[in-house]
Amino acid sequence: MLDKTLKQQLAQYLELLEGEVVLTASAGEDKASQDMMDLLKEVAEMTSRITLKESSLKRTPSFTVGRPDEEARITFAGVPLGHEFTSFVLALLQVSGRAPKEEQSTLEQIAKLDQPLHFETYISLTCTKCPDVVQALNLMSVVNPNITHTMIDGAVFREESKDIMAVPSIFLNGEEFGSGRMTVDEIVAQVGGGLDADELNAKEAYEVLVIGGGPASAAAAIYAARKGLRTGMVAERIGGQVNDTAGIENLIGVKETTGPALSQNLGEHIRDYDIDVMTAVRAKSIEKVNDMVEVELDNGAKLSSKTLIIGTGAKWRNMNVPGEAEFKNKGVAYCPHCDGPLFEGKRVAVVGGGNSGVEAAIDLAGITEHVTLLEFGDTLRADAVLQERLASLPNSEIITQAATKELTGTDKLSRLTYTERHTGEEKSIDLEGVFVQIGLVPNTEFVGDTVARNERGEIIVDRNGATNVPGIFAAGDCTDQTFKQIIISMGAGATAALSAFDYLIRH
């Protein structure tokens, strides 16, 4: 099952096992079961610390990862290869007793959860977001005996996952819990744990407080800390939307990386400095009070700082048409890399004719029955080479001057209705999926009227990253900077931090 290189890498990791691990497998005569058993036998033969046995489990094929003297709390239903192979290896290490690489405060919050939490996550082996969720829930299962987690490969359990239209899809105690990438801190907060508001209220005022966890915010926090300033950082998740980026090839000095890898590197770099990081919380409002900036969080806590740097980035822009919200994750999707495999052999549409939209249509044409690209304008805005590639595909169609009007269906999406802008005629397309690729909208609602924004909601900044309010700075995709690029956001974050330092010196 494993090639020579992967087997050599695995052997190095298995040397780190600190205790005995038992793999309990439930296998049948199907190919997936055979592949699973081949993988498990190969792994078990590489170390004496792993024992393999067979039993009857809830799903076949599946296997549990546990300790000899405990009931197993981690289950893999399917064959954890592809992006999930790392999840399997980490589960082996952590169940063996090796300490997870996680903040001690987060581990303490997990340990405090006292209610039974039985998680199930439907994944795709091609999904780049899924491993983060699987690894987070596996870690929680290792730390707290009240928690169990099962990873379910939708491609293996097709009948069971037939209504799953987006991955990862997380269920808690049989009920829908969440979808998309979620961090440990986000999951803990959602089940009633997380940061305590009273504890946050008791924190001393910062010299620099950064809101956001993406490249701009990371650079700002690091530069501020390097100046010796008391620095705080409020972020829903480290990496921000970079976590949802598949491949990155334009970060100068780094020939090629992925969004999750870069996000992990950002987190490690942040932890190298004395930065008070508060994750899985978001800013609710900001206010300038005398010489201080007060930030209210969504859990009711308030933080105070002499200066503030806003680097909250942007999110996928919604079409804001009837049916979009109702059919989100039931046919409406935003990430073709992650959710595309769920629409294999089906008819789909992509809304948006820029590079992202055309690239999505090309990728989807390779796995779906048919893909229709809808562009509001007269012509596509994507690079010519991408347009030519899409036009050459026999199962693709391009429709310009199309204004999406409505999405309809019963339990799942089944039809898209659009208006021909040049004729006013209304037309419909029968389909099972729509991928929205119409750009980004800045995450700036929480600033209200405190700082000036343009008509697109972007915070207006000068060349130093300063807003119209003294002591408040902004950087990255949430601002009116011309180009939305990772490397530009990093530079803007550094500029904002240096400007905040200069402001503190002068005031």
Side-chain angles (χ1 to χ4, degrees):
M1 289 294 294
L2 305 177
D3 60 38
K4 183 178 180 181
T5 300
L6 193 58
K7 198 168 184 178
Q8 289 175 341
Q9 294 173 345
L10 177 60
Q12 294 175 349
Y13 282 113
L14 294 180
E15 291 178 0
L16 302 176
L17 293 174
E18 296 189 4
E20 303 299 312
V21 177
V22 177
L23 302 178
T24 303
S26 178
E29 300 300 324
D30 56 287
K31 185 178 186 305
S33 291
Q34 295 173 13
D35 289 343
M36 181 190 73
M37 292 304 298
D38 288 344
L39 171 64
L40 299 183
K41 289 176 182 177
E42 195 167 354
V43 172
E45 290 171 356
M46 295 175 67
T47 174
S48 60
R49 287 191 177 274
I50 295 179
T51 302
L52 174 61
K53 65 179 185 179
E54 294 191 48
S55 183
S56 178
L57 302 176
K58 179 179 178 181
R59 295 178 177 85
T60 298
S62 69
F63 66 94
T64 62
V65 182
R67 296 167 181 160
D69 55 344
E70 294 181 357
E71 184 175 348
R73 301 193 292 271
I74 294 177
T75 303
F76 290 91
V79 189
L81 292 175
H83 291 297
E84 293 300 343
F85 185 68
T86 300
S87 302
F88 174 40
V89 174
L90 285 175
L92 292 174
L93 294 174
Q94 292 170 4
V95 169
S96 81
R98 193 161 189 85
K101 293 182 178 180
E102 190 56 67
E103 296 290 338
Q104 184 60 34
S105 60
T106 299
L107 297 177
E108 292 172 357
Q109 291 170 29
I110 296 172
K112 290 179 182 177
L113 298 172
D114 56 3
Q115 68 269 40
L117 302 173
H118 304 295
F119 289 97
E120 294 179 318
T121 307
Y122 290 87
I123 63 95
S124 165
L125 296 181
T126 61
C127 170
T128 57
K129 297 183 293 187
C130 295
D132 285 355
V133 172
V134 172
Q135 291 163 26
L137 291 170
N138 283 350
L139 181 149
M140 292 175 64
S141 301
V142 170
V143 173
N144 190 322
N146 294 314
I147 303 173
T148 65
H149 176 237
T150 300
M151 180 216 81
I152 306 168
D153 183 358
V156 175
F157 296 89
R158 290 185 182 275
E159 184 61 27
E160 180 178 339
S161 63
K162 63 182 179 181
D163 293 328
I164 303 295
M165 305 299 288
V167 290
S169 283
I170 311 164
F171 289 76
L172 172 58
N173 298 334
E175 302 292 330
E176 290 186 16
F177 176 77
S179 63
R181 178 177 277 111
M182 298 182 72
T183 65
V184 173
D185 292 324
E186 288 174 307
I187 295 170
V188 171
Q190 195 163 324
V191 295
L195 297 173
D196 182 74
D198 292 335
E199 183 180 343
L200 294 178
N201 283 328
K203 289 182 178 290
E204 296 181 24
Y206 298 97
E207 291 178 292
V208 176
L209 180 61
V210 180
I211 303 178
S217 296
I222 290 169
Y223 264 72
R226 285 177 60 85
K227 286 295 185 181
L229 302 174
R230 173 170 162 73
T231 305
M233 187 176 190
V234 173
E236 289 188 66
R237 56 176 177 166
I238 300 300
Q241 195 179 28
V242 168
N243 283 288
D244 303 322
T245 303
I248 300 170
E249 299 178 352
N250 58 354
L251 185 59
I252 307 305
V254 181
K255 293 177 65 175
E256 184 178 355
T257 187
T258 65
L262 178 58
S263 297
Q264 181 177 344
N265 290 341
L266 290 176
E268 292 174 354
H269 201 171
I270 290 168
R271 286 191 290 272
D272 285 341
Y273 291 89
D274 186 16
I275 300 170
D276 186 10
V277 181
M278 295 155 277
T279 56
V281 288
R282 68 170 66 184
K284 181 180 179 181
S285 65
I286 63 172
E287 183 181 6
K288 184 72 181 287
V289 181
N290 298 322
D291 293 331
M292 303 295 288
V293 183
E294 291 189 356
V295 178
E296 182 180 3
L297 305 181
D298 58 359
N299 65 355
K302 284 188 176 181
L303 303 173
S304 182
S305 180
K306 294 180 179 179
T307 63
L308 178 69
I309 299 175
I310 303 169
T312 46
K315 59 191 172 187
W316 291 113
R317 185 181 298 277
N318 292 322
M319 296 184 294
N320 295 320
V321 299
E324 181 178 18
E326 292 83 346
F327 293 107
K328 185 177 180 181
N329 299 329
K330 297 179 181 179
V332 176
Y334 298 85
C335 180
H337 302 290
C338 300
D339 299 332
L342 300 174
F343 295 86
E344 181 179 358
K346 300 177 180 179
R347 300 181 70 86
V348 301
V350 174
V351 179
N355 280 348
S356 296
V358 174
E359 287 174 351
I362 293 171
D363 290 343
L364 291 166
I367 55 177
T368 61
E369 177 186 339
H370 187 273
V371 58
T372 302
L373 180 74
L374 300 173
E375 163 58 31
F376 184 84
D378 297 339
T379 59
L380 301 185
R381 294 167 284 109
D383 295 341
V385 63
L386 295 176
Q387 295 189 41
E388 293 171 3
R389 172 61 179 156
L390 178 60
S392 71
L393 301 177
N395 63 334
S396 69
E397 179 183 6
I398 300 171
I399 302 175
T400 58
Q401 298 194 63
T404 304
K405 181 181 180 182
E406 185 180 19
L407 303 176
T408 53
T410 51
D411 295 333
K412 295 186 290 186
L413 176 68
S414 61
R415 176 170 294 182
L416 179 150
T417 300
Y418 69 95
T419 302
E420 286 188 338
R421 294 177 54 236
H422 58 294
T423 66
E425 184 179 355
E426 195 172 284
K427 294 187 175 182
S428 295
I429 304 173
D430 291 331
L431 40 65
E432 294 171 275
V434 172
F435 289 81
V436 183
Q437 300 283 293
I438 56 175
L440 303 171
V441 59
N443 295 312
T444 60
E445 300 93 340
F446 69 96
V447 306
D449 297 327
T450 301
V451 298
R453 294 182 289 166
N454 63 19
E455 68 280 0
R456 293 185 295 276
E458 299 167 332
I459 298 173
I460 300 171
V461 294
D462 64 16
R463 60 187 294 181
N464 299 315
T467 69
N468 64 310
V469 179
I472 299 182
F473 304 83
D477 288 2
C478 67
T479 73
D480 62 346
Q481 69 180 29
T482 306
F483 301 108
K484 314 298 186 185
Q485 297 290 315
I486 292 173
I487 193 169
I488 294 174
S489 293
M490 287 180 171
T495 298
L498 295 174
S499 297
F501 176 70
D502 182 69
Y503 174 85
L504 289 169
I505 291 175
R506 297 176 184 274
H507 296 82

